[in-house]
Amino acid sequence: MTVSVRPLWLIGLLVLVAAQLVSSYEYSDRVRRDAEAEDKSEASGEDENLLDKTKHKMEDLEHKAEDVVAPVADKLHVKPWMILAAIATAVLVLLAVGGWCAYRFLKKKKPKGAEDGLEDDEKDLVGNEEEQAEEIEEAAKNEEFKGKIHYRLEYDFTTQELKVTVIECSDLPPTDWSTGLTDPFVKVYLLPDKKPKYETKVHRKNLNPKFDQTFIFKNLPYVDTFDKTLVFAVYDYDRFSSSDQTGEFQLPLNQVDLAGPVQEWKDLAPVDDGSNQYLGDLCISLRYVPSSGKLTVAVLEARKLKKMDITGASDPYVKLKLFDSKGKRIGKKKKTSVKSCNLNPYWNESFVFIIDEMDMKRVTLEMTVCDYDLIGGGDPIGKIKLGWSQNKEYKPGFKHWKEALENPRRPIIKWHVLQDPEPEEEDEKDKKDKDKKKDKDKKDKDKDKDKKDDKEEKKDEKKDEKKDEKKDAKK
């Protein structure tokens, strides 16, 4: 009997211990959950207290603001909250206007064209144009490689200063054939003034010089940068004679976004000795409105024009003529303003021709870029012809004209390579005007001669009368 009772007693003891452990675990778990619930209730109570406090503060501020505005509201016979709403609206409007002004100031903007008095369908010819001018198809040029230049530009709108840093050059051509090296330095200046002109230090016997020199062009307003061209001219130093220019790079500032720093590599071009037949490029816009018969021609800009003056620059302007199918000029010729000493001029000037839709395929527009000269007429640099009849002579002019007709009311902007200007045959109108002037000059000369003859005859008559009086007196 003792042997069978012990195992039962041990099993019962183990069951009691296990039950005690389970109950203690459940109790501790219940205590933990109660504590967490209390913490959550306390946290929610704190959040509610914070919300209540903020609401009370907002209400206090509203009451204070209403108390301040109350006298004005009583005078105007309105409620205080209306005045507060008006003040808030005014503040938002001022912030919006300030942001818009800052955006317009920092945004790059070119000067307006010469004719601002056109109608609404014509005056916004280029100002809001989103599409870029179609570049001409450049043929491969077998130009001699003159190396590369690395530079950085920074414009300060507050001080109106342009900082130009010549960083380095690479792969410069050798000028001393005994050593296969060169002694380079760089001149930096702005066209058309050429003043001030800065120079870097000379680096002896180096084809890849590193300059890291900064030059500052002061008192340069942002508006004036559109007519300026930055020139990097690389020279080979010679102690006993004038230094020889080996290459240059010209950068029209109207093609650069000066809102931020610009840093880039560019190829150096050979110096133009006048043998280059490349005359330059002209960018124009055509816009035709069939309903009104208005053809608006905008002369936008030119680049890399041929040097016509001894100073190495030109004074370009553009002359426009419209011809009919028989080659007779229609109306008066039109001209742009003259841009003195500028090989990359910017005009943005527009001209309007009235042409019927049926005559658009019969007329030809001739545009000639000339170099202004005080004595005599301007010397032609190059010209282009636009029209439906140019499908064989000058295909880019035909394509531009055709695209303008196919897209009415839309400005079509393209670059054109200037063609060699042939000797211009005088128009009949010009001939008639010249003939009239010649006839007038002849008539004036004849009149002057007649007057002189009359005066001489009168003098002779007076002399004869005096002689007769003297004879009578002697008798």
Side-chain angles (χ1 to χ4, degrees), residues 329-384:
R329 197 181 74 203
I330 303 172
K332 296 181 180 180
K333 57 186 176 183
K334 304 176 185 292
K335 295 180 182 179
T336 65
S337 58
V338 179
K339 300 295 182 181
S340 59
C341 300
N342 202 332
L343 297 178
N344 299 278
Y346 178 81
W347 289 286
N348 197 13
E349 299 179 17
S350 57
F351 306 89
V352 177
F353 298 89
I354 305 299
I355 308 171
D356 292 335
E357 189 174 2
M358 297 298 294
D359 295 333
M360 281 296 291
K361 293 187 178 181
R362 301 172 186 171
V363 298
T364 302
L365 178 64
E366 181 180 290
M367 305 179 69
T368 307
V369 181
C370 301
D371 175 45
Y372 178 74
D373 196 351
L374 289 174
I375 303 173
D379 300 324
I381 300 174
K383 69 178 181 180
I384 59 172

Side-chain angles (χ1 to χ4, degrees), residues 6-54:
R6 283 182 180 178
L8 293 173
W9 179 77
L10 290 172
I11 291 169
L13 183 60
L14 291 173
V15 169
L16 290 173
V17 171
Q20 188 67 27
L21 289 173
V22 170
S23 62
S24 62
Y25 174 76
E26 289 178 353
Y27 175 75
S28 63
D29 187 44
R30 186 170 60 255
V31 171
R32 180 178 58 80
R33 282 183 289 181
D34 294 339
E36 289 179 355
E38 290 178 0
D39 293 338
K40 287 181 181 179
S41 62
E42 290 177 0
S44 61
E46 291 178 358
D47 293 339
E48 290 177 357
N49 292 333
L50 287 173
L51 290 173
D52 293 337
K53 288 179 181 179
T54 53

Side-chain angles (χ1 to χ4, degrees), residues 300-316:
L300 302 181
E301 59 182 316
R303 65 187 179 190
K304 302 178 184 177
L305 295 179
K306 183 180 178 182
K307 300 174 183 177
M308 300 293 287
D309 298 339
I310 300 175
T311 58
S314 296
D315 304 322

